[in-house]
Amino acid sequence: MILDRLDPTAAEFALGTGWELKPEGACRAEVCIPLPASARRADGRVNVPAVADALGMPLVASDAHKLWALGPVSGGRALTTAQAPDLTLPDRDGNPFRLGSLRGTKVFMCSWASW
């Protein structure tokens, strides 16, 4: 879910994530996860950082664009930052290429395996 603010309405949050906020917590199908009191503001809006933390959803910010990306529940397997480790992989000609040489630019990585 891409956000331009960190306090969407409960309906917007449910539409974007599939998690409905109920009195018992955040619910999706038969699963309900208790939320801290800080997860809901007094005006009924959702405190996304608090909900993301409670559900284990990664939340990544783009300060330059004032946008946030909220990922799916990860069970703790998500990257904690949007910075990739400095990998060195062969390029098309077999020469070593450092991913870190692209630091500061946006990079799309696509991997494929035959199995």
Side-chain angles (χ1 to χ4, degrees), residues 1-109:
M1 176 178 191
I2 302 297
L3 301 157
D4 59 3
R5 58 188 297 169
L6 290 175
D7 63 345
T9 65
E12 291 168 337
F13 187 80
L15 183 64
T17 65
W19 287 92
E20 187 178 349
L21 294 167
K22 296 181 177 182
E24 56 269 28
C27 301
R28 192 173 185 177
E30 302 85 35
V31 175
C32 286
I33 298 175
L35 295 175
S38 62
R40 293 181 206 158
R41 293 185 0 180
D43 62 3
R45 289 189 166 283
V46 178
N47 177 350
V48 171
V51 174
D53 187 49
L55 296 178
M57 300 171 85
L59 181 63
V60 180
S62 170
D63 295 331
H65 299 349
K66 294 187 172 46
L67 293 173
W68 295 266
L70 180 64
V73 174
S74 66
R77 294 183 305 264
L79 292 174
T80 57
T81 70
Q83 290 192 338
D86 191 12
L87 302 173
T88 301
L89 300 169
D91 66 11
R92 284 199 236 178
D93 299 320
N95 300 315
F97 178 80
R98 267 189 54 250
L99 182 62
S101 68
L102 300 173
R103 190 156 317 278
T105 62
K106 293 181 181 179
V107 176
F108 173 76
M109 291 184 65

